[in-house]
Amino acid sequence: MNAHEDVPTLKLVLLGESSVGKTALVHRFTTNKFDSNTTNTIGAAFITKLYHSQLKPERRIKFEIWDTAGQERYRSLTPMYYRNAKVALVCVDLSNFEDSFKTAKFWIEQLEINNSGNNSDNDSNDKLIVRLVGNKSDLFAKLSDEEKSDITFKINQFTDSTGIIYNQTSAFDGTGLTELFDEIVDGIDDKIFIEYYEQKSKTTTENQIGSILDARMNGQSTSSYTCC
């Protein structure tokens, strides 16, 4: 995709405990590389990524990604970063599950409060989509069968009770990243794409008409302009 391609934008935020691998996930998604030397995020980091679904390549989107800090001292700042977001990825560390899952449930509760307080029941396009992301699946695979079974049971129990979609990923080897972001793009309401390109077409037409009128007022030839 052209880096300057004019496509709809979608704000996405990553939340979760420190060291669950949020920054590594973003780095893997945007560069397809794993950086073992990532440092803790201070406040939040911002990055963009043009992306299209593998199944529906015509669905092109520009992700505006906010990677938030996981340290507790930054929690008061985090709502500022997820305000007006369309998708929130709440991450847990599958190799350090209990603590990171506790923090994940805290953020999901906060997002639900934000959802209920700021969105109209009549406008589903404004509703924040929340996904639970179990990262470090490469390390999860090395756990005992009993540990894996316990973690899987707790995740299934939680997602069954909340209706939240769960994705399993690895920033280390890239497992699950394409599936995660394809599902996000494929799940976007068609109305968002239709309205965006209709508005873009309308703006282009208005600009052409404006150029023609300006040229006529200045006594210039308008034979090179085309409209409608």
Side-chain angles (χ1 to χ4, degrees), residues 140-153:
F140 175 76
K142 297 178 182 180
L143 300 178
S144 69
D145 290 342
E146 183 178 354
E147 289 174 309
K148 287 189 285 188
S149 178
D150 181 58
I151 292 171
T152 300
F153 173 78

Side-chain angles (χ1 to χ4, degrees), residues 37 71 167 201:
N37 297 315
Q71 297 96 316
N167 291 87
S201 177

Side-chain angles (χ1 to χ4, degrees), residues 145-180:
D145 290 342
E146 183 178 354
E147 289 174 309
K148 287 189 285 188
S149 178
D150 181 58
I151 292 171
T152 300
F153 173 78
K154 290 176 179 177
I155 290 173
N156 288 341
Q157 186 179 51
F158 180 73
T159 55
D160 286 346
S161 65
T162 60
I164 289 176
I165 299 173
Y166 173 69
N167 291 87
Q168 194 161 294
T169 62
S170 168
F172 177 73
D173 58 24
T175 298
L177 261 293
T178 298
E179 291 81 0
L180 169 60

Side-chain angles (χ1 to χ4, degrees), residues 29-210:
F29 174 58
T30 55
T31 69
N32 197 29
K33 296 178 181 178
F34 176 72
D35 184 358
S36 60
N37 297 315
T38 55
T39 57
N40 287 335
T41 303
I42 298 175
F46 175 73
I47 192 167
T48 62
K49 169 74 173 180
L50 288 168
Y51 188 79
H52 66 78
S53 164
Q54 308 303 303
L55 296 176
K56 302 177 181 178
E58 73 280 0
R59 296 175 73 88
R60 299 170 181 267
I61 203 83
K62 180 180 180 180
F63 281 107
E64 296 180 339
I65 303 170
W66 287 93
D67 171 22
T68 65
Q71 297 96 316
E72 190 167 351
R73 64 179 178 272
Y74 294 118
R75 281 190 179 182
S76 62
L77 298 174
T78 304
M80 174 176 64
Y81 299 116
Y82 65 64
R83 187 178 298 121
N84 298 322
K86 298 299 183 183
V87 178
L89 304 182
V90 184
C91 303
V92 297
D93 179 350
L94 294 175
S95 67
N96 181 28
F97 181 73
E98 294 300 334
D99 289 341
S100 62
F101 189 46
K102 180 179 179 181
T103 301
K105 288 191 287 187
F106 165 80
W107 282 122
I108 289 171
E109 290 173 0
Q110 296 304 305
L111 292 170
E112 288 176 348
I113 293 172
N114 180 72
N115 244 348
S116 61
N118 296 333
N119 294 319
S120 168
D121 292 336
N122 297 321
D123 193 352
S124 60
N125 289 337
D126 287 337
K127 186 174 178 59
L128 173 67
I129 304 301
V130 181
R131 285 176 175 261
L132 180 66
V133 178
N135 192 34
K136 305 186 184 181
S137 62
D138 54 299
L139 298 181
F140 175 76
K142 297 178 182 180
L143 300 178
S144 69
D145 290 342
E146 183 178 354
E147 289 174 309
K148 287 189 285 188
S149 178
D150 181 58
I151 292 171
T152 300
F153 173 78
K154 290 176 179 177
I155 290 173
N156 288 341
Q157 186 179 51
F158 180 73
T159 55
D160 286 346
S161 65
T162 60
I164 289 176
I165 299 173
Y166 173 69
N167 291 87
Q168 194 161 294
T169 62
S170 168
F172 177 73
D173 58 24
T175 298
L177 261 293
T178 298
E179 291 81 0
L180 169 60
F181 283 93
D182 275 4
E183 287 177 17
I184 292 171
V185 174
D186 291 343
I188 297 173
D189 195 319
D190 288 339
K191 184 179 178 182
I192 291 177
F193 290 94
I194 293 170
E195 290 180 349
Y196 176 83
Y197 287 111
E198 284 180 347
Q199 182 59 44
K200 182 180 175 182
S201 177
K202 178 182 177 182
T203 300
T204 300
T205 301
E206 290 175 347
N207 288 340
Q208 289 176 335
I209 292 173

